[in-house]
């Protein structure tokens, strides 16, 4: 291939670029990014960037040791893909011809009507986090966070660490219940309520009030309750950035639909938050919005792109892994707990906010949740990797829980 | 040779401990702990594996002794 274009200049796109060069692509490599920045790391945006004064330079993902010889086209969206002509159109009208294409446009924060008000934030990009950090430094009197998913919870922790009053508003009855199940969702929620976060569960935001300058003054909840606030963070998830691919001929269904190897069309691969593929490891066909997936899938998709007939590329089988830092706790989940039949705490205890819990689906160990017991985790991870039975995993636990 | 880690960028994946258990350990939150800042020559290959495996690229092996 003479020219490979990567649309998306974040984690998946960067790892795709590295892999393309490492595997011998000597032609042109063009990386197109909507944001004006070179690739940067997003996880600290809801944490260290808000609490420890991290600078954008500390987020840089590139190192100087391995120059990639990339032509960066930053600060411009790709607006259209012409598969037949092998050509991209950028928002400034420029056309980029390619032989191979990596789609890594990621996802964008979902917004509410109240996001039109001043004083209302999302946390997805460096610009978002910069604006939020500046607003937190002005010491708002009451922060309302809409959405108690991982980003909402991390922002809540960051606000509490800064001594700010926080209310979390979650539409589900249990925060993280869908991801971890209700029991473990409650265990994580307790980290926050014990540290002074107010939680309103089972309610959604139905209205808002602004002052004369258009700055948020209150939000109204579905139970009629009114919360006065001067800073709102909307953290209700993301939507894959695929609008620019409408009409391109690619199959779009909550993301770019790929085959098992990350191929979306001949000479076109997708990776990261935007890619939806059948993952043999979990049996799920879905997008995975984790940092670790962006790294691995970026590499895998790049290798697939260079493998013209696909004969040398295995299916992309991912054991999902993510972490979340909240206060002095590190929460990690290996595997998927979206559906499970049972969950058991096998080491530590939820009362101490320090535990390992195993998930069972059928006879199998299907996921491992770890809070601040990182040293005990590798053994369970190994059991998960070799698809151990749940009983075998229980037998590994130091105390019998039967 | 000496091992350097950017602890503040460690994400606690544990890849280093898997690759070089004699050189690296983790705390409760998974953050890397260097057990031997100047690893014996026979451990250097495992350190290089850890450098390769670390998803956050926080480990480096540098010449010299400080």
């Amino acid at each position: 291939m003479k020219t490979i274009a990567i649309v998306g200049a974040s984690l998946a796109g960067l790892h795709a670029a590295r892999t393309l060069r490492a595997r011998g692509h000597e032609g042109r490599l063009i990386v197109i990014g909507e944001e004006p920045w070179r690739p940067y790391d997003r996880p600290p945006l809801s944490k260290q960037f808000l609490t420890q004064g991290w600078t954008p330079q500390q987020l840089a993902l590139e190192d100087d040791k391995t120059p990639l010889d990339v032509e960066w086209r930053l600060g411009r969206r790709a607006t259209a893909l012409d598969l037949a002509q092998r050509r991209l159109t950028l928002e400034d009208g420029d056309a980029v011809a390619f032989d191979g294409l990596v789609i890594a446009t990621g996802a964008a924060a979902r917004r509410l009507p109240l996001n039109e008000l001043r004083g209302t934030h999302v946390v997805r990009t460096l610009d978002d986090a910069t604006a939020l950090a500046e607003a937190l430094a002005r010491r708002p009197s009451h922060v309302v966070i809409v959405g108690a998913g991982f980003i909402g919870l991390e922002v809540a922790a960051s606000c509490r660490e800064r001594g700010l009053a926080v209310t979390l508003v979650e539409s589900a009855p249990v925060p993280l219940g869908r991801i971890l199940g209700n029991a473990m969702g409650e265990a994580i929620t307790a980290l926050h309520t014990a540290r002074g976060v107010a939680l309103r569960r089972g309610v959604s935001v139905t209205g808002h009030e602004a002052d004369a300058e258009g700055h948020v003054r209150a939000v109204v909840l579905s139970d009629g309750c009114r919360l006065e606030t001067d800073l709102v963070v909307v953290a209700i998830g993301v939507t894959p950035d695929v609008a620019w691919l409408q009409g391109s001929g690619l199959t779009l269904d909550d993301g770019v639909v790929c085959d098992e190897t990350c191929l979306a069309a001949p000479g076109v691969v997708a990776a990261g938050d935007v890619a939806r593929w059948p993952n043999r490891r979990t049996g799920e066909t879905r997008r995975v919005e984790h940092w670790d997936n962006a790294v691995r899938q970026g590499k895998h998709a790049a290798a697939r792109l260079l493998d013209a007939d696909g004969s040398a590329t295995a299916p992309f089988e991912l054991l999902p892994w993510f972490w979340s830092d909240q206060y002095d706790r590190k929460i990690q989940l290996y595997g998927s707990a979206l559906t499970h039949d049972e969950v058991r705490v096998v080491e530590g205890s939820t009362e101490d906010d320090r535990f390992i819990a195993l998930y069972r689906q059928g006879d199998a160990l299907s996921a491992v949740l770890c809070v601040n017991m990182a040293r005990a985790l590798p053994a369970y991870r190994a059991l998960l990797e070799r698809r151990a039975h749940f009983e075998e995993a229980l037998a590994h636990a130091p105390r019998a829980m039967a | 040779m000496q091992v350097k880690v950017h602890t503040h960028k460690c994400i606690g994946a544990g890849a280093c401990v898997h690759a070089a258990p004699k050189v690296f350990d983790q705390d409760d939150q998974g953050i890397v702990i260097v057990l031997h800042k100047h690893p014996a020559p026979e451990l250097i290959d495992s350190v290089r594996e850890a450098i390769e495996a670390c998803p956050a690229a926080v480990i480096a092996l540098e010449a010299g002794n400080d």
Side-chain angles (χ1 to χ4, degrees):
Chain A
M1 286 184 183
K2 288 182 191 153
T3 301
I4 295 177
I6 300 175
V7 185
S10 193
L11 192 61
L14 176 64
H15 279 275
R18 284 180 175 156
T19 298
L20 291 168
R21 286 300 188 214
R23 289 184 171 243
H25 172 62
E26 293 177 345
R28 294 175 70 194
L29 190 51
I30 302 169
V31 178
I32 297 144
E34 177 182 9
E35 295 177 67
W37 319 110
R38 295 279 279 263
Y40 63 88
D41 208 22
R42 295 186 197 277
L45 295 179
S46 51
K47 303 179 278 276
Q48 296 96 326
F49 200 78
L50 301 180
T51 57
Q52 294 173 28
W54 276 29
T55 63
Q57 288 73 29
Q58 285 173 283
L59 303 175
L61 283 169
E62 295 169 85
D63 62 56
D64 303 330
K65 285 175 283 186
T66 48
L68 289 171
D69 189 19
V70 160
E71 300 171 44
W72 300 96
R73 305 276 177 89
L74 301 176
R76 283 176 283 177
R77 287 185 65 84
T79 52
L81 164 65
D82 185 331
L83 269 183
Q85 298 294 318
R86 313 304 267 180
R87 192 173 56 209
L88 295 159
T89 306
L90 309 190
E91 64 181 325
D92 56 6
D94 269 8
V96 174
F98 64 82
D99 303 299
L101 176 66
V102 179
I103 297 170
T105 39
R110 293 176 60 202
R111 290 164 188 270
L112 293 172
L114 94 124
N115 279 103
E116 301 300 318
L117 302 183
R118 293 171 60 198
T120 305
H121 297 258
V122 295
V123 191
R124 180 69 185 177
T125 67
L126 178 54
D127 288 349
D128 295 336
T130 300
L132 179 57
E134 288 171 2
L136 294 179
R138 292 193 289 271
R139 307 225 36 99
S141 59
H142 181 208
V143 178
V144 169
I145 299 171
V146 183
F150 283 104
I151 296 296
L153 293 171
E154 288 183 351
V155 172
S158 294
C159 289
R160 288 303 297 144
E161 285 177 24
R162 296 188 68 141
L164 301 169
V166 179
T167 299
L168 275 168
V169 177
E170 170 57 49
S171 60
V174 181
L176 303 180
R178 191 183 68 85
I179 310 284
L180 301 179
N182 285 349
M184 294 300 111
E186 293 289 4
I188 304 301
T189 300
L191 293 178
H192 294 267
T193 50
R195 288 166 176 81
V197 173
L199 172 66
R200 299 298 314 277
R201 52 172 90 201
V203 290
S204 53
V205 173
T206 53
H208 53 262
E209 296 172 18
D211 64 17
E213 281 81 48
H215 196 285
V216 66
R217 190 171 63 189
V219 294
V220 181
L221 305 183
S222 52
D223 61 358
C225 182
R226 177 178 174 278
L227 296 176
E228 287 198 11
T229 176
D230 47 355
L231 197 162
V232 176
V233 180
V234 174
I236 53 172
V238 296
T239 48
D241 190 352
V242 293
W244 66 286
L245 294 169
Q246 295 289 346
S248 67
L250 293 181
T251 306
L252 306 176
D253 180 9
D254 186 38
V256 175
V257 176
C258 304
D259 73 6
E260 290 185 324
T261 66
C262 307
L263 194 76
V268 180
V269 295
D273 290 3
V274 79
R276 185 163 180 263
W277 89 107
N279 182 358
R280 283 191 191 178
R281 185 63 187 75
T282 57
E284 297 169 343
T285 296
R286 64 173 172 111
R287 298 182 302 107
V288 174
E289 297 168 1
H290 307 333
W291 187 99
D292 181 61
N293 176 58
V295 173
R296 293 175 190 273
Q297 200 168 22
K299 293 176 180 174
H300 197 98
R304 176 65 184 87
L305 187 61
L306 295 177
D307 177 20
D309 65 0
S311 59
T313 310
F316 178 58
E317 295 188 51
L318 178 84
L319 178 65
W321 171 62
F322 69 82
W323 81 94
S324 174
D325 295 316
Q326 300 172 26
Y327 310 101
D328 57 350
R329 302 289 122 175
K330 186 182 209 79
I331 300 153
Q332 302 184 65
L333 184 78
Y334 276 99
S336 174
L338 286 177
T339 57
H340 59 269
D341 298 315
E342 181 184 359
V343 57
R344 272 200 229 182
V345 174
V346 296
E347 294 197 41
S349 76
T350 53
E351 288 75 25
D352 297 334
D353 304 330
R354 188 173 179 279
F355 62 90
I356 284 182
L358 306 182
Y359 290 82
R360 176 178 70 79
Q361 186 164 25
D363 294 334
L365 174 68
S366 55
V368 180
L369 176 67
C370 173
V371 177
N372 269 36
M373 294 191 78
R375 298 177 73 175
L377 186 55
Y380 294 103
R381 174 188 172 183
L383 288 161
L384 200 54
E385 278 173 345
R386 63 180 172 82
R387 299 163 195 254
H389 280 95
F390 188 69
E391 293 300 325
E392 186 186 349
L394 286 183
H396 173 85
R399 58 182 155 95
M401 298 292 294
Chain B
M1 302 292 277
Q2 64 176 324
V3 177
K4 292 220 167 155
V5 295
H6 300 285
T7 312
H8 68 288
K9 288 199 169 181
C10 177
I11 60 170
C16 55
V17 180
H18 186 70
K22 291 179 178 169
V23 181
F24 299 102
D25 196 0
Q26 296 172 275
D27 69 12
D28 269 356
Q29 295 184 59
I31 304 305
V32 59
I33 297 167
V34 179
L35 299 173
H36 298 289
K37 194 177 174 192
H38 303 285
E42 64 269 23
L43 296 175
I44 294 295
D45 279 353
S46 71
V47 174
R48 292 193 199 284
E49 280 176 38
I51 290 169
E52 190 63 30
C54 174
V58 302
I59 309 168
L61 194 56
E62 295 180 2
N65 297 305
D66 294 306

